[in-house]
């Protein structure tokens, strides 16, 4: 009976403590084993009519005997036969705890070596210890007993990881027949680019490598790279942080709350553009602007662009020039305005007061300044003289600040966005559901062409283009609304409107990566319907919808039909699901 009670007790305790760090988990269960053993010895000493002194003596005796019971020295003569099994299990766990506490590094290396020998999949992780630790904890939550190798230049005992630690020469020992999931977390220099080249060489030897790598954000947007022997997903911290934000706060969703629904058979078109103000214009703010632009490529009811942006920062001239040099399309964008002003300053607050904004991003490089500035902006709209409605305030936090949470967390109109502490999770970085959907989309293209390369053979720009289609699906659903009650003619009319939007979205994707329209084709390009010059970042299709039919194509209306088919296949797939 005692054995059954103990097994139920230890099982329940393990379930309650399953998310605790393994050291605290081991110490807590050992402490509970001590308490259980003490209770056993105390219970057998209880007699009727005991005095207080006798009770205290029994407690002392039980506490004295308990350590022996959990270290293979328990006296089982006072109990039934079950007690010997209970004390044996307790003693085994005590040995485990001692090994985990005092010989952890050796224990982990032996355990991970065994896993690397027996597991088909091995996880290789690089990056800072803090970042790697967060990911490995989530990996252990999602995958039972994973084989993990942490690649580092120097081993440290300050922050031990539940992984086999090795230097980068470990890469030379990778074997065929294993599947390697490689995660290159953010690094301060171009170390990840060097590692990608090394992994590409390993991939040429037939080693199975599925790689997720963080890189510089400007490099990711501007440069085009090819790693045909890697199943590669490139991203940046800024991109990941902005995507996390926009996934929960799409501009189109906010506009739909403000305007009435569209007429049947038509997509949603807001009466006014989404108005965004950006304070501070460094890497995160630039990425925030570009992704917001890509997510607002629809038009208003009057046919104007659906995004209106004001950028405010001190010494903005050089930052503006660098941005327009990388993304020259925005030179002619009349809906992008710039104000060079100190942050904070009267000029800044006057500009905010005179403007009706849906959203204000506060993203200077100083987290504390962002918090104080947000508090002042909130007071301006809540208690100030401006008659404009209070916009949504997005505060960029570049390091943890508990005080900010205390000051602003109760305001539903304020969103605190962590920038440098992304959620490095198994779901985002290893499962990569959007990547799988993008690859499935590419396989559909393969069915329509004999010359379409395999997914891993695509350059990083083309892979990103496929991911952007998947990312935009919620926007198309928001534009279309409920189409279940539409007749076939109404559905077709709506799909053609969505096809026009899809073309604008495709344009925006290219403009946000430095492309420009190809204004003049050579006779040879016209004869062979070659519409782009990738090296020059020029494409003849980067024009308005009505101009597509003037371009050379294998049959009339084919370019528009591509967009229509993409939209129709999306809704057909959802209908089948």
């Amino acid at each position: 009976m005692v054995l059954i009670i103990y097994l139920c007790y230890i099982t329940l305790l393990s379930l309650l403590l399953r998310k605790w760090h393994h050291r605290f988990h081991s110490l807590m269960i050992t402490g509970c084993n001590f308490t259980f053993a003490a209770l056993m010895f105390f219970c057998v000493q209880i007699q009727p009519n005991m005095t207080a002194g006798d009770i205290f003596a029994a407690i002392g005796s039980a506490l004295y005997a308990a350590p022996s019971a959990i270290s293979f020295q328990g006296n089982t003569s006072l109990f039934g036969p079950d007690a010997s099994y209970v004390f044996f299990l307790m003693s085994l766990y005590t040995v485990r705890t001692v090994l985990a506490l005092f010989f952890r590094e050796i224990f982990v290396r032996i355990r991970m070596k065994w896993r690397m020998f027996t597991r088909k999949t091995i996880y290789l992780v690089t990056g800072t210890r803090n970042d790697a630790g967060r990911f490995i904890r989530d990996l252990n939550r999602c995958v039972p007993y994973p084989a993990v190798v942490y690649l580092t230049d120097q081993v440290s005992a300050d922050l031990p990881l539940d992984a086999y630690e090795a230097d980068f020469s470990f890469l030379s020992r990778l074997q065929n027949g294993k599947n390697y999931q490689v995660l290159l977390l953010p690094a301060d220099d171009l170390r990840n680019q060097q590692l990608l080249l090394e992994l590409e060489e390993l991939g040429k030897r037939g080693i199975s490598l599925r790689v997720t790598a963080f890189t510089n954000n400007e490099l990711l947007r501007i440069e085009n790279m090819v790693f045909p022997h890697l199943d590669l997903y490139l991203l940046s911290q800024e991109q990941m942080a902005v995507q996390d934000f926009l996934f929960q706060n799409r501009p189109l969703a906010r506009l739909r709350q403000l305007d009435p629904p569209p007429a049947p058979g038509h997509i949603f078109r807001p009466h006014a553009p989404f108005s965004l103000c950006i304070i501070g214009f460094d890497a995160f703010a630039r990425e925030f602007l570009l992704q917001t632009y890509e997510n607002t490529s629809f038009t208003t009811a009057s046919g104007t662009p659906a995004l209106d942006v004001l950028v405010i920062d001190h010494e903005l001239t050089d930052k503006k020039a660098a941005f327009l040099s990388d993304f020259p399309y925005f030179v002619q964008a009349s809906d992008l305005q710039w104000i060079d002003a100190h942050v904070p300053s009267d000029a800044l607050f006057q500009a905010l007061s005179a403007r009706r904004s849906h959203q204000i991003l506060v993203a200077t490089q100083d987290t504390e300044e962002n918090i104080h500035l947000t508090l002042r902006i909130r007071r301006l709209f809540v208690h100030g003289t401006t008659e404009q409605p209070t916009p949504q305030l997005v505060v960029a936090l570049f390091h943890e600040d508990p005080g900010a949470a205390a000051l602003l967390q109760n305001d539903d109109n304020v969103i605190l966005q962590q920038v440098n502490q992304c959620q490095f999770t198994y779901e985002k970085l290893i499962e990569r559901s959007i990547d799988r959907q993008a690859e499935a989309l590419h396989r559909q293209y393969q069915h329509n062409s004999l010359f379409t390369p395999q997914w891993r053979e695509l350059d990083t720009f083309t892979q990103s283009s496929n991911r952007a289609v998947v990312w935009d699906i919620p926007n198309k659903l928001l534009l279309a609304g409920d189409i279940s009650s539409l007749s076939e003619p109404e559905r077709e009319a709506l799909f053609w409107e969505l096809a026009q939007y899809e073309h604008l979205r495709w344009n925006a994707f290219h403009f946000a990566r430095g492309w420009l329209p190809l204004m003049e084709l050579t006779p040879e390009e016209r004869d062979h319907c070659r519409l782009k010059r990738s090296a020059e970042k020029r494409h003849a299709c980067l024009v308005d919808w009505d101009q597509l039919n003037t371009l050379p194509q294998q049959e009339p209306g084919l370019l528009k039909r591509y967009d229509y088919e993409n939209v129709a296949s999306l809704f057909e797939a959802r209908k089948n699901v």
Side-chain angles (χ1 to χ4, degrees):
M1 186 64 181
V2 174
L3 178 61
I4 295 174
I5 294 174
Y6 174 73
L7 291 176
C8 293
Y9 163 77
I10 207 68
T11 301
L12 178 62
L13 191 62
S14 297
L15 290 174
L16 292 174
L17 301 177
R18 67 186 183 280
K19 293 185 178 181
W20 285 36
H21 188 273
H22 64 89
R23 287 193 174 188
F24 297 116
H25 182 280
S26 298
L27 284 171
M28 181 61 72
I29 291 188
T30 301
C32 292
N33 281 340
F34 173 85
T35 304
F36 193 92
L39 284 172
M40 289 177 62
F41 281 106
F42 177 74
C43 289
V44 297
Q45 297 180 66
I46 293 294
Q47 299 292 334
N49 302 321
M50 290 180 68
T51 64
D54 294 335
I55 294 175
F56 280 114
I59 292 174
S61 175
L63 294 175
Y64 179 79
S68 300
I70 63 173
S71 56
F72 296 106
Q73 301 177 49
N75 180 8
T76 60
S77 62
L78 301 174
F79 309 95
D82 286 356
S84 59
Y85 296 110
V86 172
F87 291 160
F88 179 74
L89 292 174
M90 289 179 175
S91 301
L92 285 179
Y93 205 90
T94 301
V95 172
R96 180 191 183 281
T97 301
V98 171
L99 289 174
L101 289 177
F102 299 104
F103 304 97
R104 182 185 181 279
E105 184 177 345
I106 298 174
F107 184 68
V108 169
R109 290 182 72 86
I110 294 173
R111 184 179 60 185
M112 286 299 167
K113 273 185 170 292
W114 172 252
R115 290 183 187 176
M116 285 189 284
F117 178 73
T118 59
R119 299 291 191 276
K120 180 74 172 176
T121 299
I122 298 175
Y123 298 87
L124 308 179
V125 183
T126 72
T128 67
R129 284 186 169 271
N130 284 327
D131 291 345
R134 292 205 302 273
F135 170 76
I136 292 171
R137 284 192 294 273
D138 190 72
L139 174 65
N140 278 282
R141 184 181 61 84
C142 299
V143 178
Y145 312 115
V148 187
V149 179
Y150 175 58
L151 301 178
T152 180
D153 289 321
Q154 54 184 3
V155 177
S156 171
D158 294 338
L159 184 61
L161 300 175
D162 192 12
Y164 181 89
E165 298 195 27
D167 59 28
F168 288 92
S169 64
F170 182 88
L171 293 175
S172 63
R173 305 202 297 271
L174 302 189
Q175 306 169 2
N176 286 312
K178 296 282 188 181
N179 297 323
Y180 294 97
Q181 297 274 1
V182 185
L183 176 59
L184 309 182
L185 291 168
D188 293 334
D189 50 20
L190 295 178
R191 180 64 178 271
N192 285 355
Q193 292 300 121
Q194 177 186 345
L195 288 173
L196 285 174
L197 295 176
E198 294 179 23
L199 292 170
E200 173 68 10
E201 291 300 316
L202 293 173
K204 292 178 182 178
R205 289 165 35 194
I207 295 175
S208 176
L209 295 164
R210 190 168 185 266
V211 184
T212 301
F214 282 81
T215 187
N216 176 274
N217 193 58
E218 291 186 6
L219 187 69
L220 183 62
R221 276 198 174 269
I222 302 300
E223 300 298 329
N224 191 19
M225 296 164 280
V226 183
F227 296 92
H229 298 92
L230 301 179
D231 183 357
L232 177 63
Y233 175 34
L234 278 178
L235 71 164
S236 70
Q237 279 187 286
E238 293 86 0
Q239 180 195 79
M240 189 174 177
V242 177
Q243 282 183 350
D244 287 347
F245 172 81
L246 288 177
F247 185 78
Q248 301 291 336
N249 302 276
R250 290 182 183 266
L252 184 53
R254 188 170 179 85
L255 291 175
R256 287 221 59 164
Q257 294 174 350
L258 301 175
D259 287 351
H266 296 280
I267 66 172
F268 172 76
R269 298 183 190 275
H271 292 306
F274 184 79
S275 181
L276 170 66
C277 179
I278 297 176
I279 302 173
F281 200 58
D282 292 295
F284 174 73
R286 288 196 298 269
E287 181 63 20
F288 195 96
L289 167 59
L290 291 169
Q291 283 201 41
T292 303
Y293 169 69
E294 291 184 66
N295 278 271
T296 52
S297 48
F298 47 92
T299 58
T300 64
S302 59
T304 58
L307 179 64
D308 179 32
V309 182
L310 172 64
V311 178
I312 306 174
D313 200 3
H314 178 51
E315 297 180 348
L316 190 57
T317 303
D318 291 341
K319 296 177 181 179
K320 175 183 175 182
F323 178 80
L324 296 180
S325 174
D326 288 337
F327 310 102
Y329 170 79
F330 292 94
V331 171
Q332 60 187 2
S334 60
D335 46 6
L336 176 58
Q337 304 170 51
W338 309 82
I339 295 180
D340 194 329
H342 286 279
V343 179
S345 66
D346 290 339
L348 182 149
F349 293 112
Q350 289 173 7
L352 295 180
S353 299
R355 177 185 176 87
R356 183 186 179 92
S357 298
H358 293 99
Q359 190 176 81
I360 297 177
L361 170 68
V362 184
T364 73
Q365 287 294 294
D366 188 331
T367 295
E368 187 174 346
E369 182 178 12
N370 291 342
I371 295 164
H372 289 303
L373 183 55
T374 302
L375 291 170
R376 292 188 63 181
I377 294 173
R378 186 173 66 171
R379 290 197 298 270
L380 172 70
F381 285 96
V382 176
H383 305 297
T385 57
T386 179
E387 297 180 357
Q388 304 293 354
T390 303
Q392 184 184 63
L393 301 176
V394 184
V395 191
L397 303 180
F398 294 92
H399 59 77
E400 289 188 9
D401 195 322
L407 288 170
L408 298 169
Q409 66 180 356
N410 294 325
D411 191 335
D412 294 336
N413 219 36
V414 176
I415 299 176
L416 304 177
Q417 180 61 46
Q418 291 283 352
V419 178
N420 289 340
Q421 295 191 5
C422 299
Q423 296 297 315
F424 299 126
T425 63
Y426 174 83
E427 179 184 5
K428 289 180 182 177
L429 303 179
I430 302 299
E431 287 191 336
R432 292 165 25 183
S433 61
I434 288 183
D435 225 36
R436 291 202 305 270
Q437 294 177 63
E439 188 172 353
L441 182 69
H442 177 67
R443 285 197 295 270
Q444 291 181 11
Y445 294 152
Q446 284 183 302
H447 290 309
N448 300 325
S449 174
L450 297 176
F451 306 105
T452 306
Q454 297 293 321
W455 172 258
R456 65 171 55 195
E457 297 172 351
L458 298 176
D459 54 56
T460 54
F461 174 83
T462 308
Q463 289 183 346
S464 296
S465 181
N466 281 278
R467 294 186 189 105
V469 175
V470 176
W471 170 262
D472 189 67
I473 289 174
N475 285 332
K476 290 186 177 68
L477 299 178
L478 285 168
L479 287 169
D482 184 8
I483 67 170
S484 59
S485 61
L486 298 183
S487 64
E488 281 303 316
E490 288 175 331
R491 286 169 64 92
E492 185 173 0
L494 182 138
F495 287 171
W496 275 113
E497 288 190 22
L498 279 176
Q500 295 182 46
Y501 161 74
E502 169 60 18
H503 176 66
L504 292 175
R505 183 210 61 77
W506 182 86
N507 284 359
F509 173 83
H510 282 75
F511 293 146
R513 281 156 183 81
W515 285 63
L516 285 172
L518 177 56
M519 305 306 297
E520 197 169 326
L521 296 170
T522 66
E524 182 182 1
E525 288 172 331
R526 284 189 167 275
D527 291 342
H528 294 86
C529 298
R530 291 203 296 266
L531 302 178
K532 69 176 179 179
R533 300 175 190 167
S534 298
E536 301 176 18
K537 288 193 171 183
R538 302 271 178 164
H539 204 304
C541 291
L542 293 173
V543 294
D544 292 337
W545 173 260
D546 294 334
Q547 296 177 263
L548 286 177
N549 285 341
T550 65
L551 298 174
Q553 45 201 302
Q554 293 179 351
E555 59 183 74
L558 181 63
L559 295 175
K560 289 185 175 181
R561 173 62 61 173
Y562 278 146
D563 290 322
Y564 178 87
E565 294 295 341
N566 287 339
V567 169
S569 63
L570 163 66
F571 284 87
E572 186 63 30
R574 289 183 60 83
K575 179 181 177 182
N576 292 336
V577 171

